[in-house]
Amino acid sequence: MSNISLKRRGAFVFATAALVTAGVLGGTAQAVPNSGSLWVGYGKANAYNSVLCVQKLSNSLHYQTGYHVVDEDGAFGNDTNGAVLALQKWAGLQQDGIVGPQTGDAIVTATKDAYGCYSYLPTIH
């Protein structure tokens, strides 16, 4: 048997074992909707679509938060950080500049997910 065949067989066995394990253990874990989405903020992965969603949703709420409109460029910088802090203050959340599940949920809910951002932001609902 060639070395490539052994690697493929090993990968198949590993994948099968992982699926079986997930199926057995899956019933014991409590799922949190969309908690696996990337968090947004300094020191985070800051995927383009996630940051763009934060910028779009922030801009749609700028009258409520009192923060000016930010560029919708998908890059997390000082302006977007300021918008996140303003959103968190407006929503009564801890102001840390990071869009985690609570902040994501607050802005997606407040905007009725006008831009289809639910899949790009972490939420608690």
Side-chain angles (χ1 to χ4, degrees), residues 19-31:
L19 288 173
V20 169
T21 302
V24 170
L25 297 178
T28 62
Q30 183 180 14

Side-chain angles (χ1 to χ4, degrees), residues 13-40:
V13 169
F14 177 78
T16 302
L19 288 173
V20 169
T21 302
V24 170
L25 297 178
T28 62
Q30 183 180 14
V32 177
N34 214 28
S35 62
S37 292
L38 296 175
W39 291 26
V40 177

